[in-house]
Amino acid sequence: MDTTGYTPEEPIAAVATALAPSALGIIRASGKGVIEAVSVLFSRPNALQKASGNTIVYGWIIDPGTTPPRRIDEVLVSVFRAPKSFTGEDMIEISCHGGPAVVTEIYRLLTGNGFRPANRGEFTFRAFINGKADLTRAEAVQEIISAKTGESRNRAAGRLAGNLYNEINRIKQLLLTTLASIEAEIEYPEDEETIADAFDDTLLKTAEQQLLLLCTSWNSEKLYQDGARVILCGKTNAGKSSLFNMLLKEERAIVSDIHGTTRDWIESWISFDGIPARLFDTAGLRETTDIIEQRGVERTKDLTTGADVILYVVDSTIGLTPEDIRFMKEFLPGEHQLDNQAKIQPETAVPVGNIQDGHSGQPRIPIILVLNKTDKTTECPAPAPVFSEEQIQPAAIIPVSAKTGAGTQELCTAIKSILTAGHTPERAGAGVGSVRQQRCTRNALESVNHGLKAAADGFPLDAVVQDIEDALDALGEITGAVTPEDILDTVFSKFCLGK
């Protein structure tokens, strides 16, 4: 939202629920005099005006512009009085029946009787400017709304509860204590000793360690927020669509014994033990003269270039063929042979992490070889293929049956193991929740690093003071104590209306 020339306390209103047929709809309003303004549109104006905060009043929304006043809907009006409200201002929330026509009509009455349509995120913005929430909590509200899995929600809820804000404050206290000791040395120097002997850098080093932990938390938090791309591919009739349906636990993809049934890719969100992912079912890989099917094969190969994990599905009743190996090699840049220490044992998922291609320097895309249709093999599980040194080594080999579900839990575990390689899969503490927070944390860490180096190199105390103050400013920007001109517009413009 644009905060230029912003007028606080101006009455605003917005529809807070989706405009779709539902049991309930909610219209919310905030600002100076909103309770009195809504009472004009309410069948029991005196009851509403006298209502205490955090109470609910029953009545009808009416149109005062008609004679007699026309009843719009039977409603419950929740009353919140400043400062004990979400925004810190007087607020009301009208709970009506959820028909789009009803919700729209009530909103039209409000905007026609003294209320301005709220901007995106304006309610949360008012909570921020009125001291009801810092920026980390404000951003966490949007994170919860956008959360795709329970774990994503839990991580955002931790920030909403203040764990990141509290962690930032602890680091700021370390910096402030160090700053106070340096300023005391500057104000009351005993002699002309060098900076190395002038103050104890223990607290500054502790702050450095904690900032480093926050910086490294972003990789994990980003994974749980944005999700991963997991691509199912393989030759025709390998059972990709059946496996796709099994993992989703619903019939999304058409399944048949006819080769080339899937001509294009379809996708759906899925959770791999709390990690959100876009799972793609793709066209079967084979040489074909069918122009449409050829295009589907090309799209499959294009999709894999942006994959985080490739699930290459093989019919275990047929086994791995040279054609399968050729297709898998096409998915990876340059040299495909993993280093000896990165090779894994069959049927065991080991995180691959950011293994780099020896020739191009590009990260490899981890491939899990999925041996499907094990319910049809005489041996269970199906024997794992043996690869020579010239062939690609998959990150894991997992036997499954898309028909019975056997092995699918092991497959999900293998996928999560690969996706979380290089960072802690479970949340151990506070973590940064946005690119903005990560950038500010990185700036604070760089300033602290610079200050420690200045101290070690014997620079004057004033130089270290400047670095610590720069770090404090960067941390203040995270919570909103320091607000560059465009930061609020950037944060709140991403919110939905009514929040």
Side-chain angles (χ1 to χ4, degrees), residues 415-438:
I415 294 169
K416 180 179 180 179
S417 179
I418 290 172
L419 291 176
T420 56
H423 52 80
T424 305
E426 303 300 332
R427 176 165 52 91
V432 296
S434 69
V435 174
R436 183 191 71 83
Q437 294 172 8
Q438 166 71 355

Side-chain angles (χ1 to χ4, degrees), residues 6 8-9 87 89 124-133 488 492:
Y6 186 74
E9 296 188 335
T87 62
E89 305 170 332
T124 308
F125 173 72
R126 291 193 175 193
F128 167 68
I129 63 175
N130 290 324
K132 303 294 289 187
L488 298 182
F492 292 102

Side-chain angles (χ1 to χ4, degrees), residues 31 66 75 89 117 128 141 278 298 375 383 408 437 463 466 493:
T66 62
V75 301
E89 305 170 332
F128 167 68
V141 170
R278 292 167 65 191
E298 291 172 5
D375 55 291
T408 52
Q437 294 172 8
Q466 184 60 58
S493 64

Side-chain angles (χ1 to χ4, degrees), residues 14 30 75 104 126 151 174 180 221 230 238 267 279 334 453 473 481:
S30 181
V75 301
T104 303
R126 291 193 175 193
E151 180 60 23
L174 293 171
E221 298 300 325
V230 179
E267 64 172 292
L279 181 66
K453 188 176 187 305
D473 284 346

Side-chain angles (χ1 to χ4, degrees), residues 140-471:
V141 170
Q142 184 62 20
E143 289 177 43
I144 288 178
I145 293 172
S146 304
K148 300 176 179 67
T149 67
E151 180 60 23
S152 302
R153 183 197 64 245
N154 290 340
R155 289 169 177 252
R159 283 183 282 278
L160 183 60
N163 65 7
L164 178 57
Y165 177 82
N166 293 334
E167 180 65 18
I168 294 298
N169 276 347
R170 281 191 287 269
I171 297 173
K172 287 172 69 175
Q173 192 56 51
L174 293 171
L175 298 177
L176 288 169
T177 302
T178 303
L179 187 62
S181 67
I182 296 176
E183 289 179 339
E185 181 65 26
I186 294 174
E187 192 71 25
Y188 308 104
E190 295 183 2
D191 51 38
E192 298 297 325
E193 292 179 330
T194 64
I195 185 65
D197 300 321
F199 82 107
D200 186 355
D201 64 1
T202 302
L203 296 182
L204 203 56
K205 288 181 176 178
T206 301
E208 178 188 41
Q209 294 170 356
Q210 293 181 5
L211 284 169
L212 183 59
L213 287 175
L214 279 182
C215 284
T216 56
S217 72
W218 173 234
N219 286 339
S220 178
E221 298 300 325
K222 187 176 186 298
L223 174 63
Y224 281 92
Q225 283 185 27
D226 297 344
R229 287 167 60 96
V230 179
I231 312 296
L232 278 163
C233 60
K235 292 197 302 185
T236 57
N237 271 20
K240 299 181 298 301
S241 295
S242 296
L243 184 58
F244 182 80
N245 291 339
M246 171 62 73
L247 291 172
L248 294 180
K249 296 180 174 59
E250 61 177 293
E251 295 295 321
R252 284 291 308 278
I254 298 174
V255 177
S256 82
D257 293 331
I258 301 173
H259 287 273
T261 298
T262 304
R263 297 296 188 96
D264 201 354
W265 53 266
I266 62 173
E267 64 172 292
S268 183
W269 282 101
I270 189 174
S271 172
F272 290 110
D273 195 15
I275 298 177
R278 292 167 65 191
L279 181 66
F280 293 81
D281 180 27
T282 62
L285 298 170
R286 68 168 179 166
E287 301 296 336
T288 177
T289 58
D290 187 309
I291 296 177
I292 297 177
E293 192 176 350
Q294 284 178 356
R295 182 57 181 152
V297 172
E298 291 172 5
R299 287 192 175 189
T300 296
K301 294 178 180 179
D302 290 341
L303 274 176
T304 60
T305 60
D308 294 293
V309 179
I310 293 172
L311 307 182
Y312 191 89
V313 184
V314 172
D315 184 343
S316 62
T317 63
I318 298 175
L320 192 69
T321 67
E323 189 178 22
D324 288 314
I325 295 174
R326 179 173 63 80
F327 278 132
M328 282 191 283
K329 283 186 175 183
E330 288 184 24
F331 297 142
L332 301 184
E335 184 65 39
H336 308 293
Q337 186 177 326
L338 299 185
D339 297 332
N340 290 331
Q341 64 268 26
K343 293 179 182 178
I344 64 173
Q345 297 301 317
E347 303 177 24
T348 304
V350 175
V352 174
N354 293 323
I355 301 173
Q356 299 294 314
D357 185 284
H359 291 271
S360 65
Q362 294 177 285
R364 295 190 181 93
I365 303 172
I367 291 181
I368 295 177
L369 181 60
V370 182
L371 303 179
N372 193 21
K373 304 183 183 181
T374 54
D375 55 291
K376 293 184 177 180
T377 58
T378 54
E379 296 180 342
C380 189
V386 177
F387 294 90
S388 69
E389 290 298 316
E390 291 75 27
Q391 296 171 335
I392 184 173
Q393 298 293 321
I397 302 174
I398 309 292
V400 304
S401 170
K403 181 178 181 180
T404 67
T408 52
Q409 182 56 52
E410 290 78 3
L411 177 60
C412 292
T413 300
I415 294 169
K416 180 179 180 179
S417 179
I418 290 172
L419 291 176
T420 56
H423 52 80
T424 305
E426 303 300 332
R427 176 165 52 91
V432 296
S434 69
V435 174
R436 183 191 71 83
Q437 294 172 8
Q438 166 71 355
R439 173 180 53 78
C440 294
T441 305
R442 177 64 63 184
N443 290 343
L445 177 60
E446 290 175 356
S447 294
V448 170
N449 288 339
H450 195 271
L452 285 168
K453 188 176 187 305
D457 292 344
F459 279 80
L461 289 164
D462 289 344
V464 181
V465 167
Q466 184 60 58
D467 285 323
I468 294 177
E469 289 178 344
D470 289 344

Side-chain angles (χ1 to χ4, degrees), residues 74-96:
E74 189 178 25
V75 301
L76 295 175
V77 179
S78 302
V79 179
F80 306 93
R81 293 190 180 272
K84 295 183 178 181
S85 70
F86 176 71
T87 62
E89 305 170 332
D90 285 351
M91 283 187 67
I92 63 97
E93 289 187 353
I94 302 171
S95 298
C96 62

